[in-house]
Amino acid sequence: LLGVAAGPALAVPTTAAARPAVAAGPDIPVANVKAHLAQLQSIATANGGNRAHGRSGYKASIDYVKGKLDAAGFTTTVQQFTTGGATGYNLVADWPGGDTDHVVFAGAHLDSVSAGPGINDNGSGSAGILETALAVAREGYKPAKHLRFGWWGAEELGMRGSSYYVNQLPAGERGKIDAYLNFDMIGSPNPGYFVYGYDQNLKALFENWFAAKNIATEIDTEGDGRSDHAPFQNAGIPVGGLFSGADYRKTAAQAQNWGGTAGQPFDRCYHASCDTSANINDKALDTNTDAIASAVWTLSGGTTNPPQGKVFESKSQLPIPDAGAAVESPVTVSGLTGNAPSALKVSVDITHTYRGDLVVDLVGPSGRAYRLKDSSGSDAADDVIATYAVDASAETANGTWKLRVQDVAAQDTGRINGWKLAF
């Protein structure tokens, strides 16, 4: 978030009187979002303590996000621009499919100030939309509208990256963007729940989602015109977004609504060296990221693949011991008849710092193991987020299925975040 401001936030709370139904969209594991923040913290630590425009830490941040998106199947574009005597970078990721004449666009700035690593401002928004994008891939989502995500450079110098992107976009392409959603600071340690009020439909979308969870919201005034929504808004594009507060101080009424400490800033480490991975409120980060996913799913109006059949899922996390014994995560399947299909879909979400160490098997109710992934000494990438097709037609569908994972080499660790079977 750009600039320095002081004074109370004067917006009026939106109460949760109506209780509309919660919109579509998957639950986003906050552990996944925090794993991205840990990586951004490590990048800053290794690059002079920040991820600022023109510094090595910013380029490393772009490379990290791009690597995740490329592996998930997005089409990514790195756009270069020059400002302040240094090269800047925007990263834009498109999910294949959907009506390209109607684009739903979520964005966040990826740069920090030079004073610190910028984990809340704005690692939080960047990680939130990254994990939402990865959920699109994990879920096999087929949006009716085209989905696009953006990570902007040099926001802290005055929205330079997003301004460059919008200015370079032909007028016809600008007209195809149905909504731009901006997320600049969503995990403030003394959080508020602020909604952008520029577009009534997008405002209501978020307000209704929070109201259904009994969370009061206020219209954001602190960030007015100070983040990357402004260039899109100035170009006539409908904009919305969320914000958890910066250096304004929480009022007594806000503390009563949201908890936290009245009289203290929403983020006491705003634009400071202490904006580290310790400067995050997990509940706010989790809630706001789920709201992002809901908005993306709702606005794009698609379906999840496979649209038919039954899905059985485990969301239980399970540590994977380093160079240790195999661990097994069970899923109980019931209510089906006959045998499993010849193309049983097995979707896995595993965090690991060297995925080549991992051997992954599906174990059927009979005890037979079906190899999903072998170990590889040359595969140094992070994580296993993939869907496999298994000929399990020899197995009865009902029974206990297990995901078996073993780390066969030393020095790297991980966990099973969850997995599912689609019949």
Side-chain angles (χ1 to χ4, degrees), residues 61-86:
S61 300
I62 283 282
D63 292 343
Y64 169 75
V65 175
K66 184 177 186 299
K68 292 290 187 183
L69 295 163
D70 287 341
F74 281 81
T75 300
T76 59
T77 303
V78 175
Q79 183 183 55
Q80 293 190 23
F81 60 93
T82 301
T83 190

Side-chain angles (χ1 to χ4, degrees), residues 163-371:
S163 295
Y164 182 84
Y165 175 83
V166 173
N167 291 339
Q168 293 294 311
L169 204 60
E173 293 301 312
R174 294 181 191 175
K176 295 177 181 179
I177 302 175
D178 287 354
Y180 172 75
L181 306 177
N182 194 64
F183 304 100
D184 188 351
M185 303 175 65
I186 62 169
S188 301
N190 188 28
Y193 291 91
F194 297 98
V195 173
Y196 288 14
Y198 310 108
D199 180 90
Q200 287 303 307
N201 291 331
L202 297 176
K203 168 178 166 286
L205 175 68
F206 283 117
E207 285 179 336
N208 290 342
W209 188 90
F210 281 96
K213 293 183 172 294
N214 295 319
I215 299 173
T217 56
E218 293 185 14
I219 301 303
D220 169 46
T221 58
E222 183 178 5
D224 192 12
R226 294 169 57 194
S227 191
D228 293 298
H229 60 282
F232 288 87
Q233 184 182 16
N234 293 340
I237 296 166
V239 300
L242 301 174
F243 177 53
S244 57
D247 58 350
Y248 279 23
R249 294 180 182 272
K250 181 175 282 188
T251 67
Q254 290 169 335
Q256 184 174 4
N257 274 334
W258 298 325
T261 306
Q264 293 298 314
F266 295 100
D267 183 357
R268 65 180 181 81
C269 291
Y270 174 62
H271 284 186
S273 60
C274 57
D275 187 9
T276 66
S277 54
N279 189 47
I280 290 290
N281 181 285
D282 287 4
K283 181 179 179 182
L285 184 69
D286 188 18
T287 302
N288 283 319
T289 305
D290 286 344
I292 294 171
S294 177
V296 167
W297 256 252
T298 301
L299 291 171
S300 59
T303 60
T304 297
N305 186 33
Q308 70 285 339
K310 296 194 70 173
V311 174
F312 298 84
E313 181 174 13
S314 170
K315 294 185 178 181
S316 298
Q317 294 190 359
L318 183 63
I320 303 168
D322 185 27
V327 295
E328 294 181 339
S329 174
V331 165
T332 300
V333 174
S334 61
L336 302 182
T337 58
N339 284 9
S342 59
L344 176 64
K345 289 185 170 59
V346 187
S347 299
V348 303
D349 180 357
I350 299 171
T351 295
H352 198 273
T353 51
Y354 194 106
R355 68 186 181 198
D357 289 358
L358 298 181
V359 175
V360 183
D361 292 306
L362 173 69
V363 181
S366 70
R368 177 182 173 183
Y370 301 82
R371 180 59 47 92

